[in-house]
Amino acid sequence: MKSMLEVQNLTKHFHVGKGRVVHACDDVSFTLVKGATLGLVGESGCGKSTVARTAIRLYEPTSGRIILDGTDITNMDQKTLKPLRKKIQMVFQDPYASLNARMTVRDIIAEPLRAHKVTSSKSETDDLVNELLKQVGLGSEHARRYAHEFSGGQRQRIGIARALILQPEIIICDEPISALDVSIQAQVVNLLREFQLEKRLTYLFIAHDLSMIRYVSDQVGVMYLGRLVELASVDQIYKEPLHPYTKGLLSSIPIPNPTEARKRVKSEISGDLPSPIAPPPGCRFHTRCPYKMPICEEVLPPEKDQGDGHMVACHLY
Ligand code: SF4
């Protein structure tokens, strides 16, 4: 298994004035394996997007290490990093906001080619754009139109075409379907899966609930208030979740079958996510955890491998 992107103990703090520090992500480690998908899940504000953006150096890490396809890019200067950036592209959450309303679809999709000076003529650029439009299920007749003329699902297809045009190896999918109608979500997920199989792409797929990423992920990482609290294969997470927070997230997924629903042990999470400016000491989840013990308020639970690569950070284990 080839490692495409490895982050080790990645930490990102933002100083927000008056001595206050946002602990957006702390000590997060994971590996993206070539051709596979790591789903990163957690409530809004838990640091998933910050981890992803720091892992590709859109934000400078406070500490930790980042290895991209065998190269340590942690401290690499941005000029040296630029050609390597072509390997990683992003698909954003909100196709309404992420596409420039004043640009034609052709210019939106061609933008990365211009930024990286990839093509040498207009016709070469047009050919590539038309090819990508075809691959995402649109046509060359759409190239001259503007993003606002398209539906949400079509706009996300345009976003995917833009992400693919530099032939990247890794795609960060930052909640790519959560702004779309349920009926469209499966189409976009299927399109992403098709490209993954065809081009052996590696995905980091960010979502705020576990129901969305079950069918796209090989591995799932669960984040809570800037920390990775559980990391395991998709089967381990859904069949044998260990961390009380993961159990709570799973408990909130509706089960259509009433018999199955009655069997489920309820483990709902109460209360609000604490502020990342003053995260609780010890286990950050202790203010909401139904299994809290005295040690949880004082001692940070270390990450422990429970076997088969199933990592959990909780004093119960
Ligand atoms: Fe709950 Fe304690 Fe485990 Fe944290 S360490 S999840 S508070 S049992």
Side-chain angles (χ1 to χ4, degrees):
M1 288 197 299
K2 187 184 178 206
S3 159
M4 285 305 300
L5 182 69
E6 187 179 348
V7 302
Q8 300 169 353
N9 309 103
L10 196 67
T11 296
K12 178 64 188 173
H13 293 168
F14 295 100
H15 293 267
V16 289
K18 298 185 182 158
R20 295 180 310 161
V21 177
V22 175
H23 296 248
C25 78
D26 269 312
D27 226 7
V28 172
S29 302
F30 59 75
T31 299
L32 299 188
V33 173
K34 185 164 181 64
T37 299
L38 172 68
L40 206 53
V41 70
E43 287 162 281
S44 296
C46 73
K48 309 174 298 282
S49 295
T50 303
V51 167
R53 285 169 164 76
T54 310
I56 59 174
R57 297 266 321 269
L58 291 178
Y59 298 149
E60 291 303 332
T62 304
S63 61
R65 208 163 161 236
I66 308 161
I67 317 288
L68 171 62
D69 200 9
T71 304
D72 189 334
I73 63 161
T74 319
N75 300 308
M76 188 178 274
D77 66 87
Q78 291 291 344
K79 199 173 162 206
T80 316
L81 184 59
K82 191 173 176 187
L84 296 180
R85 272 195 197 285
K86 283 199 291 184
K87 289 177 193 260
I88 311 176
Q89 296 296 311
M90 287 192 77
V91 175
F92 294 95
Q93 173 181 9
D94 186 353
Y96 294 88
S98 65
L99 305 182
N100 189 328
R102 287 189 300 273
M103 285 165 78
T104 62
V105 167
R106 183 252 185 217
D107 290 344
I108 289 169
I109 296 174
E111 218 276 323
L113 296 174
R114 191 192 55 74
H116 287 272
K117 300 187 174 66
V118 174
T119 46
S120 51
S121 69
K122 185 177 170 300
S123 64
E124 194 185 350
T125 301
D126 287 341
D127 288 349
L128 273 174
V129 169
N130 290 337
E131 174 57 27
L132 256 302
L133 279 169
K134 197 168 121 198
Q135 286 184 26
V136 298
L138 297 169
S140 53
E141 70 277 13
H142 295 118
R144 290 176 183 280
R145 289 164 59 183
Y146 292 86
H148 67 83
E149 298 174 52
F150 294 86
S151 67
Q154 286 173 322
R155 285 184 215 203
Q156 202 53 296
R157 287 171 190 269
I158 295 166
I160 292 169
R162 180 180 58 183
L164 288 173
I165 201 152
L166 290 176
Q167 299 185 316
E169 298 197 49
I170 301 170
I171 298 195
I172 311 277
C173 303
D174 191 356
E175 306 231 19
I177 54 172
S178 49
L180 302 176
D181 289 347
V182 176
S183 58
I184 307 296
Q185 289 180 351
Q187 292 175 16
V188 172
V189 164
N190 287 340
L191 189 66
L192 287 166
R193 286 291 284 170
E194 280 167 28
F195 284 125
Q196 180 169 44
L197 293 173
E198 190 187 309
K199 300 172 192 292
R200 239 186 129 218
L201 294 169
T202 304
Y203 288 160
L204 177 62
F205 198 103
I206 297 171
H208 60 262
D209 73 60
L210 276 163
S211 61
M212 277 197 188
I213 55 169
R214 179 166 198 168
Y215 301 102
V216 293
S217 303
D218 299 286
Q219 265 212 314
V220 177
V222 180
M223 283 194 70
Y224 183 78
L225 208 56
R227 287 198 169 269
L228 195 62
V229 296
E230 187 161 4
L231 179 66
S233 72
V234 72
D235 277 351
Q236 287 167 331
I237 288 284
Y238 286 90
K239 290 184 185 152
E240 300 165 48
L242 296 178
H243 197 280
Y245 180 59
T246 312
K247 290 179 184 178
L249 285 180
L250 281 168
S251 183
S252 61
I253 301 175
I255 298 179
N257 179 330
T259 316
E260 288 295 313
R262 273 194 293 277
K263 276 195 240 160
R264 177 158 73 188
V265 179
K266 280 274 171 197
S267 181
E268 271 158 21
I269 306 162
S270 57
D272 296 325
L273 192 68
S275 166
I277 292 179
C283 171
R284 289 188 180 176
F285 188 54
H286 83 250
T287 56
R288 302 166 81 189
C289 180
Y291 306 96
K292 184 182 78 173
M293 302 172 281
I295 188 178
C296 305
E297 294 182 22
E298 291 170 16
V299 181
L300 182 71
E303 294 178 2
K304 285 188 195 152
D305 191 336
Q306 301 301 305
D308 291 342
H310 191 155
M311 187 285 291
V312 65
C314 171
H315 289 304
L316 290 172
Y317 304 94

